[in-house]
């Protein structure tokens, strides 16, 4: 009897679990590992793969959901739930001053979903342009901001053609890295260009999301759709408390 099993690709839930692992690794690195150390760079490079995978599944979710409004409501609800945990993780305290506007990645993913809605459903070209521009601007209040919207549009507008999705995403990733270099130079104009590029080289780790996404088999897989929503605020609170203990 032939007991050989054949690899049938990765389900949506398997890819999301990997994204959760990569996100946790990235956040542990931000909390406890020097950014430009070798372990820090490796952990952050792996962590960069989280956002493309989540953006990919925003595009998939938009295509498959029975109710875009309920999908958007779910993202909005957990963005609100995660508001204080994210700020606590980022600052070690409650919102004050500019940190009132530190918005989390679930807020950003909501902007990504709305951008797909606008592209797909708004027929007037001028209105579509201004609504997309508005979403790009307000998305910048959130973690990954404009870059996540670009990634989501790259995947959503080319759904069903992975080589085309990958090509558009590749261009978006290069734009992301270039904009981050520009931001670094704007913050410190005396910094040499080469050093600014080196500081942001890890951002190209987003491209490492393409091989696992290429293995997506189109199936949902086992597991709950609530896993990411619940894990996200919970792990931020735990890491925030650990940082208070370590750095107090």
């Amino acid at each position: 009897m032939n007991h050989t099993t054949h690899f049938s690709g990765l389900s949506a839930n398997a890819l999301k679990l990997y994204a959760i692992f990569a996100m946790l690794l990235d956040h542990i690195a931000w909390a406890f590992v020097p950014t430009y150390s070798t372990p820090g760079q490796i952990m952050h490079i792996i962590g960069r793969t989280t956002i493309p995978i989540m953006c990919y599944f925003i595009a998939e979710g938009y295509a498959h959901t029975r109710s875009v409004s309920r999908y958007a409501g779910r993202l909005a609800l957990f963005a609100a739930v995660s508001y204080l945990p994210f700020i606590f993780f980022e600052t070690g305290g409650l919102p004050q001053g500019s940190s009132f506007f530190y918005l989390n990645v679930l807020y950003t993913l909501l902007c990504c979903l709305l951008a797909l809605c606008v592209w797909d459903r708004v027929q007037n070209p001028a209105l579509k342009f201004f609504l997309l521009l508005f979403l790009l601007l307000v998305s910048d209040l959130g973690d990954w901001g404009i870059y996540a919207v670009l990634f989501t549009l790259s995947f959503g507008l080319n759904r069903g053609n992975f080589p085309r999705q990958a090509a558009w995403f590749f261009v978006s990733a290069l734009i992301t890295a270039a904009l981050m270099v520009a931001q670094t130079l704007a913050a410190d104009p005396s910094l040499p260009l080469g050093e600014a590029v080196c500081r942001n080289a890890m951002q190209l780790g987003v491209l490492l999301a393409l091989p696992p996404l290429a293995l997506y088999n189109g199936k949902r897989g086992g597991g709950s759709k609530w896993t990411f929503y619940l894990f996200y605020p919970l792990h931020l609170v735990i890491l925030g408390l650990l940082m208070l203990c370590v750095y107090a």
Side-chain angles (χ1 to χ4, degrees), residues 48-85:
R48 301 305 91 188
T49 59
T50 298
I51 193 64
I53 292 173
M54 299 315 297
C55 291
Y56 184 90
F57 284 105
I58 288 292
E60 286 293 296
Y62 174 73
H64 289 293
T65 187
R66 295 175 182 176
S67 172
V68 174
S69 60
R70 280 191 293 180
Y71 190 12
R74 189 161 63 244
L75 286 167
L77 172 63
F78 281 94
V81 168
S82 303
Y83 175 71
L84 290 178

Side-chain angles (χ1 to χ4, degrees), residues 45-199:
I45 288 170
I46 295 171
R48 301 305 91 188
T49 59
T50 298
I51 193 64
I53 292 173
M54 299 315 297
C55 291
Y56 184 90
F57 284 105
I58 288 292
E60 286 293 296
Y62 174 73
H64 289 293
T65 187
R66 295 175 182 176
S67 172
V68 174
S69 60
R70 280 191 293 180
Y71 190 12
R74 189 161 63 244
L75 286 167
L77 172 63
F78 281 94
V81 168
S82 303
Y83 175 71
L84 290 178
F86 181 71
I87 292 176
F88 178 56
F89 172 74
E90 288 287 315
T91 69
L94 295 175
Q96 55 181 337
S98 62
S99 71
F100 274 105
F101 301 101
Y102 287 181
L103 301 182
N104 56 74
V105 78
L106 290 171
Y107 162 84
T108 309
L109 294 176
L110 173 61
C111 292
C112 294
L113 178 66
L114 294 177
L116 288 174
C117 287
V118 168
W119 185 276
D120 189 41
R121 302 184 181 195
V122 176
Q123 301 302 314
N124 183 289
L127 180 59
K128 178 182 290 191
F129 172 81
F130 284 111
L131 287 175
L132 286 173
L133 181 61
F134 173 76
L135 285 169
L136 285 170
L137 291 173
V138 297
S139 72
D140 206 39
L141 295 171
D143 194 19
W144 279 97
I146 291 172
Y147 313 120
V149 177
L150 292 177
F151 295 164
T152 304
L153 290 173
S154 296
F155 293 131
L157 272 55
N158 299 288
R159 188 173 177 274
N161 185 337
F162 187 75
R164 191 174 174 86
Q165 286 179 313
W168 278 50
F169 171 68
F170 181 81
V171 173
S172 298
L174 293 183
I175 292 171
T176 295
L179 289 174
M180 289 186 174
V181 168
Q183 287 178 333
T184 301
L185 290 172
D188 184 1
S190 65
L191 195 69
L193 175 61
E195 186 173 343
V197 170
C198 288
R199 287 188 184 183

Side-chain angles (χ1 to χ4, degrees), residues 11-22:
S11 69
N13 281 328
L15 285 163
K16 289 176 184 178
L17 286 174
Y18 165 75
I20 287 173
F21 164 76

